[in-house]
Every structure is written in C-alpha cells, then in structure tokens.
C-alpha cells in the first residue's frame, strides 16, 4: 500500500468513526420527548420544559450537521486525491447506535425494577389500533396484562419480521404487546438505521433528489400495513432521511412517527432482501446493494 493510499484509509476510518449515529439517536430522543410533551400539554397551560427541549434539540441538530459537513469535506478531499473508492465507501459504522445493548436496559433489570403501571390510560394501544386497524389482544389469563419483556431494539426486529411476512395482525400484536415507553423509543433508534438502509437501497447517500424514489419504493407498502397513518407522517420521515425540509403540518400523535418509522425500516429491509436479524448490533455489515430502480 502506498503512502497516499494509507493516508486515504486513515481519513476514511476517521470519517467512519465520527459519532453521527450517536448524535442522531440523541437528537431523535429529544425530538420524541418534545412531541410527547406537546401532546401532554394540550391539557395544560404550563410549557413544562418544551422550550428547553427545543433548545437542546437545536444544539443536537447543529452537531449532526457539523459532523455531516466534516464527512463531506473528507470525502471531497479523498476524491481530489484520486481515491474515489475510499471517498465512495459506505459511511456510518455507528448506524446501529441505538440498538446496542449498552444503550438499552437489561431485561433482568427491567423485571427487578419494574415501573408501576402507566397512569395515562391505554393511549398507546388505542393509537396502535388506529394506525394498524388491529384491535389489542385480550389480556393473558392470570396476570391481567398484555406486556412482553421486550426492549425497543427487539421490538424493532419483531416489527421488521412482521413487515417481511406481510402479517398485519402480527404487526399489531407486537406493537400492542409493549408499553408506551418501549414503543416511543422506536422514534429514537430508527433514524440512523433508516438513513443507512435508504443509502444502501439507492446506492448512494440519500439527498433531496431521492425523495420521490424512496416514496415510490416504500410508500405503498407502508400504507397497506398502516392504513390509519396520516400521509404527512411518512412524508416527514422520508424528508428527514433525504436531509430536506419537511412541509408544515399539524403536530401528530407521538406514537405515529414511532410506529411508522419501525414499519418503514421493515419495508426497506425487505426491499434490500435482508433479514431483520441484520439489525442486531453484532451482525456483520451487509453486502453492498446495486441500488433501487429509478
């Protein structure tokens, strides 16, 4: 390996190690918290922390933009050096940042320190029923609950498996079978995953010009599995993937983007021909894809 190639490899490794996925997860967790608080404050005149969360989200967005700018600058520099292969290599090694076990509570610890039952009413299941068209299953005999010991990463893999099989009833059961905190966590862990899967499907980094291609590739399947989802929710998710401003819309239910993002993840996996197990943080990096047809 020549000195120039070694420099290119080191620069590529530096670009890959930038914590874009971690920052994206933090940004989406702040965004999810803001959406939930906005939903709660409809019955309260107290802003209850929304302005502070808005400021924190803005800082996180600036950090994410700065990291992407640094990666773009490195890629441009590599291209100028004639290292086109290094410049076009897949980016975002931390795209599974939100799916790692160290980012999720251990199942045993969840059971040892189980939180008290939610006091906000069955709003999560009511919204899942609205989105999927599937009613909640009856409580299990003996314990009066429908909860399953699943974290958000496991839930995402279950949802992706249901999408792959085309079984909307299974999809509804899996989403009904968790509490609101686990379900809402889907909003935080999916953005880096969606951006990476979309890039693999397109064969390049998603941009504004790819918005219609992604909508055509995934929109119909998402709508068939989530017939109750407002169209603006999917449009907003696709716009974020393509780094383009989303159109103005009324505040949506906090469950909408969480559920829709998880189903969109499953749809993109299916389009790539990948198993949901590839979302496991320990799974090897997927093979390159030839790109979606225009």
């Amino acid at each position: 390996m020549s000195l120039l190639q070694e420099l290119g490899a080191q620069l590529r490794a530096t670009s890959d190690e930038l914590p874009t996925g971690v920052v994206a997860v933090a940004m989406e967790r702040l965004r999810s918290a803001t959406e939930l608080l906005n939903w709660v404050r409809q019955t309260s005149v107290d802003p209850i922390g929304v302005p502070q969360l808005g400021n924190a989200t803005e800082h996180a967005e600036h950090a994410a933009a700065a990291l992407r700018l640094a990666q773009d600058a490195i890629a441009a520099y590599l291209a100028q050096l004639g290292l086109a292969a290094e410049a076009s290599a897949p980016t975002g090694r931390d795209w599974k940042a939100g799916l790692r076990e160290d980012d999720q509570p251990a199942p045993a610890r969840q059971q040892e320190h189980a939180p008290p039952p939610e006091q906000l009413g069955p709003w999560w299941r009511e919204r899942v029923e609205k989105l999927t068209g599937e009613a909640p299953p009856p409580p299990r005999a003996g314990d009066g609950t429908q909860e399953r010991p699943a974290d958000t990463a496991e839930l995402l893999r279950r949802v992706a498996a249901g999408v792959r099989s085309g079984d909307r009833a299974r999809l509804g059961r899996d989403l009904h079978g968790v509490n609101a905190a686990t379900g809402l966590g889907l909003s935080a862990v999916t953005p880096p995953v969606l951006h990476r899967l979309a890039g693999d499907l397109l064969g390049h980094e998603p941009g504004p010009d790819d918005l219609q291609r992604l909508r055509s590739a995934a929109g119909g399947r998402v709508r068939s599995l989530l017939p109750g989802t407002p169209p603006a929710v999917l449009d907003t998710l696709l716009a974020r993937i393509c780094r383009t401003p989303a159109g103005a819309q009324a505040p949506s239910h906090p469950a909408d983007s969480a559920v829709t993002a998880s189903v969109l993840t499953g749809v993109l996996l299916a389009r790539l021909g990948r198993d949901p197990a590839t979302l496991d943080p320990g799974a090897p990096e997927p093979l390159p894809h030839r790109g979606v047809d225009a």
Side-chain angles (χ1 to χ4, degrees):
M1 179 183 292
S2 69
L3 183 61
L4 187 60
Q5 289 175 321
E6 184 178 353
L7 172 63
Q10 290 178 354
L11 285 173
R12 185 73 235 179
T14 299
S15 176
D16 287 343
E17 290 169 2
L18 291 175
T20 51
V22 176
V23 173
V25 169
M27 181 173 62
E28 292 304 325
R29 283 177 177 162
L30 289 169
R31 187 175 284 152
S32 299
T34 303
E35 290 177 354
L36 183 56
L37 281 176
N38 275 325
W39 186 258
V40 172
R41 67 178 289 213
Q42 289 185 6
T43 58
S44 172
V45 296
D46 188 343
I48 52 176
V50 172
Q52 292 87 339
L53 278 175
N55 292 336
T57 304
E58 185 178 356
H59 288 312
E61 289 173 345
H62 288 164
L67 288 171
R68 290 196 297 269
L69 186 62
Q71 288 181 324
D72 290 344
I74 291 175
Y77 181 65
L78 290 173
Q80 288 182 350
L81 292 178
L83 301 175
E86 291 290 344
S88 61
T91 60
R93 289 184 179 176
D94 62 345
W95 61 286
K96 299 179 182 177
L99 303 177
R100 300 190 185 109
E101 290 184 3
D102 57 355
D103 292 334
Q104 302 288 339
R109 193 173 302 166
Q110 283 182 323
Q111 294 173 4
E112 291 173 8
H113 305 285
E118 296 176 45
Q119 302 298 317
L120 297 177
W123 64 273
W124 167 259
R125 292 192 179 94
E126 288 175 355
R127 194 61 182 178
V128 168
E129 180 177 5
K130 170 70 175 177
L131 298 174
T132 64
E134 299 292 331
R140 294 196 302 266
D143 60 5
T145 182
Q146 301 165 358
E147 303 297 336
R148 299 181 191 177
D151 61 22
T152 300
E154 180 186 350
L155 174 61
L156 181 59
R157 290 190 288 271
R158 287 183 181 180
V159 169
V163 170
R164 184 183 180 91
S165 66
D167 189 344
R168 197 169 72 195
R170 172 182 175 179
L171 175 65
R173 287 195 302 272
D174 287 332
L175 289 168
H176 281 302
V178 297
N179 60 28
T182 301
L184 291 174
L186 292 167
S187 291
V189 304
T190 49
V193 177
L194 285 171
H195 191 76
R196 175 59 184 267
L197 294 179
D200 288 350
L201 186 64
L202 294 165
H204 58 262
E205 186 79 1
D209 293 340
D210 299 308
L211 184 58
Q212 184 55 47
R213 296 174 67 188
L214 286 178
R215 187 182 289 117
S216 299
R221 187 79 182 276
V222 172
R223 287 190 294 271
S224 68
L225 291 166
L226 298 175
T229 299
V233 176
L234 178 59
D235 288 343
T236 298
L237 289 173
L238 294 175
R240 289 175 182 171
I241 291 172
C242 295
R243 313 298 195 204
T244 186
Q249 60 170 316
S252 62
H253 191 287
D256 289 4
S257 60
V259 172
T260 306
S262 66
V263 171
L264 179 58
T265 299
V267 170
L268 293 181
L269 278 173
R271 286 297 307 266
L272 285 162
R274 295 177 187 167
D275 190 87
T278 59
L279 295 179
D280 190 295
E285 284 292 298
L287 296 174
H289 186 262
R290 63 181 177 84
V292 67
D293 294 334

